[in-house]
Amino acid sequence: MSTSAQPDRELAVAKYRGEASAYDRRTRVIDRYRRQTIKRLTLAPGETVIDVACGTGASFEVLERQIGSQGRLIGIDVSPEMLALARERAKCHHWDNVTLIAASVDEAQLDAQADAALFSFTHDVLQSPAAIDNVLAHLVPGARLVAVGGKSPSRWILPVHLVARRIGARYTTTLTGYDRPWQQLASRLDGLTVEQRALGAVYLASARTPS
Ligand SMILES: C[S@@+](CC[C@H](N)C(=O)[O-])C[C@H]1O[C@@H](n2cnc3c(N)ncnc32)[C@H](O)[C@@H]1O
């Protein structure tokens, strides 16, 4: 799988054109990490949440259950094929409170100040300062932000390290920053906490924007 030194949105669009149709089936194994992370968002009915690089909308059901029909879910993704599946999912479930934005996160035009933001398995976006800043600019003071994703485990467990990086290379366009994917968030948000799972191959990070 090809990767580059920096996130490459054209490469992401090309990769996910091929990945979209089998994506949900292949990534079912990470559902539990998505759920554990969304729990940390402590969403309440009526709140607005941004699902950053939402892909096929794999997190929508859990998010919808928490914000209810009075809430609002804004999904952003650069891949037309992934977003088409997210649109289909929202339509099938009659989630009329879902707004989908087809754009790169750094350029997405958001029309709301959200209460919370989810970055789920979106390493490329977390390596883009402009993308992070665009999301942070559209959060209310004291908003909750969580990130979950793959990372490089320690080299001491070499097979796990190698497999984790191979999987990472399939779903990202850069492995730059894969040791500490949350680093750019941590430099902007005081008190970011990080937990690790799966022998260090998965991380969960949470923080709040300043009040
Ligand atoms: C591994 S998938 C994760 C999808 C979803 N968040 C999940 O939990 O399954 C990564 C997603 O990031 C999207 N992506 C990559 N770079 C992006 C960018 N610059 N702006 C918006 N979406 C991007 C891809 O199109 C893809 O849908």
Side-chain angles (χ1 to χ4, degrees):
M1 290 288 149
S2 62
T3 54
S4 54
Q6 298 299 322
D8 177 336
R9 84 172 76 148
E10 270 79 39
L11 183 55
V13 169
K15 276 196 180 195
Y16 281 95
R17 187 170 298 131
E19 292 290 345
S21 60
Y23 181 82
D24 286 348
R25 181 172 50 78
R26 288 201 177 125
T27 66
R28 204 159 289 148
V29 63
I30 58 174
D31 272 351
R32 71 187 137 137
Y33 300 120
R34 291 195 186 98
R35 279 197 302 272
Q36 288 172 20
T37 309
I38 294 170
K39 213 170 173 186
R40 285 159 176 69
L41 272 181
T42 59
L43 288 165
E47 288 196 317
T48 296
V49 58
I50 305 173
D51 187 349
V52 181
C54 63
T56 63
S59 297
F60 286 5
E61 188 164 359
V62 184
L63 293 171
E64 281 288 333
R65 220 179 290 140
Q66 298 187 14
I67 61 172
S69 57
Q70 301 305 309
R72 187 167 176 216
L73 195 169
I74 302 172
I76 311 166
D77 206 280
V78 75
S79 159
E81 289 79 9
M82 295 290 271
L83 211 57
L85 292 170
R87 191 167 293 113
E88 191 57 34
R89 191 190 295 263
K91 194 173 155 201
C92 282
H93 286 85
H94 306 287
W95 291 324
D96 301 327
N97 58 350
V98 174
T99 304
L100 295 177
I101 303 175
S104 187
V105 174
D106 51 303
E107 291 175 349
Q109 301 206 352
L110 293 143
D111 64 356
Q113 293 297 113
D115 303 292
L118 168 68
F119 294 76
S120 171
F121 292 89
T122 177
H123 180 71
D124 283 2
V125 172
L126 285 173
Q127 303 316 301
S128 161
I132 294 176
D133 288 341
N134 194 21
V135 174
L136 292 180
H138 291 91
L139 294 177
V140 299
R144 288 94 63 201
L145 184 151
V146 295
V148 59
K151 64 176 276 293
S152 287
S154 154
R155 280 169 209 274
W156 291 110
I157 327 172
L158 195 59
V160 182
H161 177 85
L162 295 175
V163 169
R165 287 183 73 87
R166 218 173 86 207
I167 296 171
R170 176 169 191 150
Y171 292 106
T172 67
T173 68
T174 182
L175 287 177
T176 300
Y178 212 60
D179 290 337
R180 293 169 62 84
W182 57 85
Q183 191 56 50
Q184 307 248 13
L185 279 180
S187 68
R188 286 164 176 73
L189 297 169
D190 288 339
L192 183 100
T193 60
V194 180
E195 300 160 61
Q196 305 209 26
R197 300 278 192 278
L199 299 174
V202 172
Y203 73 93
L204 275 61
S206 344
R208 271 182 186 268
T209 58
S211 303

